[in-house]
Amino acid sequence: MSLDALKSAIPDYAKDLRLNLGSVIGNSELPQQQLWGTVLVCAIASRSPRVLRELEEEANAKLSPEAYTAAKSAAAVMAMSNVFHRTRHLLSDPAYGTLRAGLRMNVLGNPGVEKVDFELWSLAVSAINGCGSCLDSHERALRKAGVDRETIQEAFKIAAVVQAVGVTLDAEAALVEPLGPPLR
């Protein structure tokens, strides 16, 4: 299981994804922890079992145990937070924005890694999950911490490519898997 195995599984009609996957991971200027944490959270957020299986082992090998756990925590809490905040944003009644959320997100206060890394990972997951409110919030926190736009863009480039690879491989798998029993 590896990045190379994942790239070789991408069909020829999607060779741009193969090239982009190699580029956004292999040529990234992000520090190793930021890079592989971003790769891991995006693999989780992609909801593609194949992508997660192929990328998790290398991410686990390249991340400290604390960073590995923090990245998984970022993916988990953003899965909840993105739905909640995206829904409040999309509802036409602004009163929902004034209500207390009442959801536990303690990991945001003490993620176990540098706050900037956790914010970057949270931004990447928010890009995949399409939460504009969360994207704005994490981008502002990163910019306030001195992170440049190029670094932030690296994270959502990884998100875009990993998500696209997941969609493509899951579609290909669905086309070759036998259909289950007919729906009644």
Side-chain angles (χ1 to χ4, degrees), residues 57-124:
E57 187 175 336
E58 194 164 352
N60 192 11
K62 294 187 185 267
L63 292 169
S64 69
E66 296 80 14
Y68 178 82
T69 298
K72 288 172 65 177
S73 295
V77 77
M78 286 300 106
M80 173 186 66
S81 184
N82 292 159
V83 170
F84 180 80
H85 290 290
R86 184 178 64 233
T87 301
R88 284 203 329 186
H89 175 76
L90 291 172
L91 286 169
S92 59
D93 184 348
Y96 288 101
T98 66
L99 300 176
R100 182 178 170 278
L103 297 172
R104 294 190 185 277
M105 295 186 253
N106 294 329
V107 72
L108 299 178
N110 185 15
V113 293
E114 293 292 324
K115 186 77 169 155
V116 165
D117 294 354
F118 197 83
E119 289 286 345
L120 193 69
W121 301 338
S122 297
L123 178 127

Side-chain angles (χ1 to χ4, degrees), residues 31-165:
Q32 182 167 288
Q33 180 167 296
Q34 286 183 356
L35 170 63
W36 284 99
T38 302
V39 169
L40 180 58
V41 298
C42 291
I44 293 168
S46 77
R47 296 178 183 89
S48 171
R50 174 83 185 263
V51 168
L52 181 57
R53 278 193 312 270
E54 298 292 356
L55 296 176
E56 181 277 336
E57 187 175 336
E58 194 164 352
N60 192 11
K62 294 187 185 267
L63 292 169
S64 69
E66 296 80 14
Y68 178 82
T69 298
K72 288 172 65 177
S73 295
V77 77
M78 286 300 106
M80 173 186 66
S81 184
N82 292 159
V83 170
F84 180 80
H85 290 290
R86 184 178 64 233
T87 301
R88 284 203 329 186
H89 175 76
L90 291 172
L91 286 169
S92 59
D93 184 348
Y96 288 101
T98 66
L99 300 176
R100 182 178 170 278
L103 297 172
R104 294 190 185 277
M105 295 186 253
N106 294 329
V107 72
L108 299 178
N110 185 15
V113 293
E114 293 292 324
K115 186 77 169 155
V116 165
D117 294 354
F118 197 83
E119 289 286 345
L120 193 69
W121 301 338
S122 297
L123 178 127
V125 174
S126 298
I128 290 173
N129 291 334
C131 181
S133 177
C134 293
L135 281 167
D136 284 340
S137 175
H138 297 296
E139 191 270 347
R140 275 192 305 272
L142 288 163
R143 296 291 292 145
K144 185 177 179 182
V147 177
D148 60 42
R149 286 179 178 87
E150 290 78 13
T151 297
I152 294 167
Q153 182 169 288
E154 278 290 310
F156 63 82
K157 281 172 48 179
I158 293 168
V161 173
V162 170
Q163 172 68 9
V165 169

